[in-house]
Amino acid sequence: MYDIPVFKTQDSQKVIDFISKHPFAMLIGANDSNEPVATQVPMFLEFEKDQAYLRGHLMKHTTHYQAFEKNPQVLVVFQGAQTYVSATWYQNPQSASTWNYMSVHCHGSMQFLDETALGTILQKTTLHFEKGNQDSPTVFNNLPKDYKDRLMKAIVSFEIEVTNMEHVFKLSQNQDAQSFQNIISELKKGDSQAQEIAGEMEKLKK
């Protein structure tokens, strides 16, 4: 990822909040033949004594499970909204158009966990996406026991000890004030992702 200081925040909490807001991440690794493998799964960032961990679950007996079992080194990509930015919106339009986006990359080492940890992760995951509704029939603890037993035989929980975390929040920070405002105004006319990026840019102005 581009290591350009102007596109980074000095507030680490904003990076943590971004991961929390976009938990459905791309999990990337390589198998024993050095062929890339990737899958998308929800993950949650947790801290223990200042060490960051990403925890989630995935299906057993799949090519990516077998790859991560043999090669625990992984890259996790959390991706937010992204949108095209036309140079026609700049004060000087005779320059390159670009793309605004927000992304966090986490490098680390994965290990698979036991069934107790799997139950905890499934409860946390279902409760999160059911917006904390403990009475929801689809929250893990409310599912029938025989169904849970079958489900847990097919999946496995994992933990990634994060060794490096990088981010790029590219929001036209390198543009002059008038161009910056023009970009916001044009993005507000666009789709939901363009409007979300416009909102993030307005936060920078404040």
Side-chain angles (χ1 to χ4, degrees), residues 139-204:
V139 167
F140 181 73
N141 285 354
N142 298 338
L143 295 173
K145 184 179 184 305
D146 60 337
Y147 177 80
K148 288 194 291 187
D149 290 343
R150 293 197 307 273
L151 177 69
M152 294 177 77
K153 287 182 174 66
I155 57 179
V156 63
S157 61
F158 63 82
E159 173 182 275
I160 299 168
E161 182 175 349
V162 178
T163 56
N164 188 34
M165 188 182 298
E166 305 170 292
H167 74 280
V168 168
F169 293 166
K170 186 173 178 295
L171 300 169
S172 298
Q173 297 97 320
N174 57 336
Q175 295 298 323
D176 62 86
Q178 185 58 58
S179 296
F180 190 86
Q181 183 56 53
N182 291 347
I183 294 166
I184 292 175
S185 299
E186 293 296 332
L187 291 180
K188 284 183 175 180
K189 302 173 188 176
D191 62 16
S192 60
Q193 293 203 64
Q195 292 173 24
E196 184 174 341
I197 290 293
E200 294 295 333
M201 291 176 66
E202 286 188 318
K203 292 177 186 177
L204 285 181

Side-chain angles (χ1 to χ4, degrees), residues 13 89 94 108 110 126 137 160 169 174:
Q13 187 60 47
W89 305 339
Q94 292 189 312
M110 174 191 283
T126 53
I160 299 168
F169 293 166
N174 57 336

Side-chain angles (χ1 to χ4, degrees), residues 62-101:
T62 57
T63 54
H64 49 264
Y65 167 74
Q66 293 164 359
F68 300 139
E69 189 176 37
K70 293 180 180 178
N71 183 353
Q73 299 306 307
V74 297
L75 167 66
V76 180
V77 178
F78 295 90
Q79 182 70 48
Q82 46 77 28
T83 188
Y84 176 71
V85 174
S86 173
T88 62
W89 305 339
Y90 301 166
Q91 285 283 86
N92 175 17
Q94 292 189 312
S95 54
S97 298
T98 189
W99 214 269
N100 277 4
Y101 65 97

Side-chain angles (χ1 to χ4, degrees), residues 127-146:
L127 196 58
H128 174 85
F129 290 107
E130 288 296 305
K131 304 187 186 307
N133 179 13
Q134 301 210 28
D135 296 324
S136 170
T138 197
V139 167
F140 181 73
N141 285 354
N142 298 338
L143 295 173
K145 184 179 184 305
D146 60 337

